[in-house]
Amino acid sequence: MLNYFLKGEKGTRLRFMGMLLSAILVLLSVFTLTQKGLNFGLDFTGGYLTEFTTSQSVELKELQSFIAKNHNGEFELTAQGNSHFQLREAPSASTTANSPDWQSAVTQNDYINAQVLSSAYIGSQVGDELFDQGCLAMFAAMIAVMIYLAVRFEWRLAVGSVVALVHDLILVLGLFSLLQIEFNLTVLASLLAIIGYSLNDSIIVGDRVRELLRVQSNNVLSPATIINNAIKSTLTRTLITSGTTLATVASVWLLAGAPLQGFAIALFTGIVVGTFSSICIAATLPELLGLSAKNYEVKVDAHTQTLLDMP
């Protein structure tokens, strides 16, 4: 069915419409990021982190409701197990200043009977350092990717892959900004995974485009037709790979709990937009930049040409 839509001018038109849609989504994501920003978690902003266990299994929602009655500030409660919990508070959510002592409430309650394992304050300076190092790691990964693409591909295909990569990261960040999902270290790690996955998709399509251009030295087929043929020949493999990966990430999203929810959402979104951009950007932008079979013609000097022409 998809191969039918990728035939001839219809396929080319769909690719260009997809690239236009991508451009609109990127602009909306940038606008959202500038207006709302990211909802940084305690890994970056700092705050109080408390771990405790209960004497018996307690439902997360039930425990969260009980703590909310004894805590007036903002907090985040996550379950590390059936009876092991972790509570994060913003720096301004000190129990002595803004709210009743929730720790006393959960430890003195006969049903919950909690025992505090550890309580620590994460300074904002540590969070700033983590954010700087994470951004540096992402920047280093991007530079390594650009060097690799410059060596592997003709510059037009390389530019298409880099633009597709940036597109994927901006859309994921825009989604997190729009929904105000907490941005923490696990989400930052997922962005590094998205860089690798998006690059893989773009290279698969780019390699096939390059192969078909090399065998079309007589320019019988137009670049648009060659690119459509390259996408059709790799589409099944791309969809199977993306589908199986999405199933795994969806399982993590649904079953792993709150600690990995942001990671799963980012990775799930990155895989979807990465598959989309490998077709609509990584394969389409080089066509706009003038990619053709001539870019892969083998150039020979006059002496070699004379030898080739000899009977």
Side-chain angles (χ1 to χ4, degrees):
M1 179 64 71
L2 288 173
N3 286 340
Y4 171 77
F5 289 106
L6 289 172
K7 287 183 179 179
E9 294 183 0
K10 184 181 295 184
T12 304
R13 187 162 53 250
L14 285 176
R15 288 192 289 108
F16 279 97
M17 289 175 60
M19 190 168 65
L20 178 61
L21 175 62
S22 295
I24 294 173
L25 290 177
V26 167
L27 292 176
L28 291 176
S29 297
V30 172
F31 176 78
T32 304
L33 284 168
T34 55
Q35 295 299 313
K36 302 180 68 174
L38 292 171
N39 178 25
F40 290 105
L42 294 181
D43 293 334
F44 300 123
T45 61
Y48 298 93
L49 177 63
T50 305
E51 289 193 45
F52 62 93
T53 58
T54 58
S55 58
Q56 56 184 326
S57 179
V58 181
E59 290 291 334
L60 179 63
K61 292 183 179 179
E62 182 182 357
L63 182 58
Q64 189 169 8
S65 176
F66 177 82
I67 293 177
K69 296 177 182 178
N70 298 276
H71 195 302
N72 296 328
E74 294 183 0
F75 68 91
E76 177 188 356
L77 183 67
T78 56
Q80 310 297 313
N82 292 332
S83 58
H84 186 187
F85 299 91
Q86 189 178 77
L87 188 138
R88 296 168 178 255
E89 305 170 86
S92 60
S94 173
T95 56
T96 58
N98 298 324
S99 64
D101 190 352
W102 67 268
Q103 292 189 24
S104 299
V106 296
T107 54
Q108 294 174 8
N109 184 276
D110 294 334
Y111 174 70
I112 299 175
N113 193 20
Q115 179 181 358
V116 177
L117 300 178
S118 64
S119 183
Y121 176 75
I122 304 174
S124 58
Q125 183 176 0
V126 176
D128 292 340
E129 184 178 350
L130 290 173
F131 183 75
D132 292 341
Q133 290 178 346
C135 291
L136 182 62
M138 190 163 62
F139 179 74
M142 292 286 290
I143 294 297
V145 165
M146 290 179 185
I147 294 175
Y148 170 77
L149 291 173
V151 174
R152 185 178 180 92
F153 289 128
E154 198 268 344
W155 71 269
R156 295 171 182 84
L157 285 173
V159 168
S161 298
V162 171
V163 172
L165 183 58
V166 175
H167 159 273
D168 299 343
L169 294 177
I170 291 177
L171 289 193
V172 173
L173 291 175
L175 177 67
F176 271 71
S177 176
L178 177 65
L179 301 180
Q180 286 296 290
I181 303 173
E182 181 181 334
F183 188 91
N184 50 34
L185 283 176
T186 59
V187 176
L188 185 60
S190 71
L191 294 182
L192 296 175
I194 290 170
I195 290 175
Y197 195 92
S198 176
L199 179 64
N200 176 67
D201 265 355
S202 298
I203 286 178
I204 289 175
V205 177
D207 267 338
R208 189 58 180 159
V209 171
R210 181 179 59 177
E211 290 172 5
L212 294 181
L213 286 172
R214 283 176 171 173
V215 300
Q216 291 293 332
S217 57
N218 53 2
N219 294 322
V220 175
L221 299 177
S222 66
T225 303
I226 293 174
I227 291 174
N228 289 342
N229 292 338
I231 294 174
K232 285 191 292 184
S233 64
T234 59
L235 188 60
T236 301
R237 177 174 56 177
T238 299
L239 292 180
I240 291 175
T241 304
S242 299
T244 53
T245 310
L246 284 175
T248 303
V249 175
S251 300
V252 175
W253 186 353
L254 297 174
L255 302 176
L260 291 178
Q261 191 174 54
F263 174 86
I265 293 174
L267 200 53
F268 191 95
T269 307
I271 293 172
V272 172
V273 299
T275 303
F276 180 79
S277 66
S278 65
I279 297 173
C280 296
I281 297 179
T284 305
L285 185 59
E287 181 182 350
L288 291 177
L289 295 175
L291 182 69
S292 67
K294 293 181 179 180
N295 301 125
Y296 288 95
E297 289 180 351
V298 178
K299 297 180 180 180
V300 297
D301 54 29
H303 176 69
T304 305
Q305 186 64 47
T306 301
L307 294 176
L308 292 174
D309 293 339
M310 290 178 63

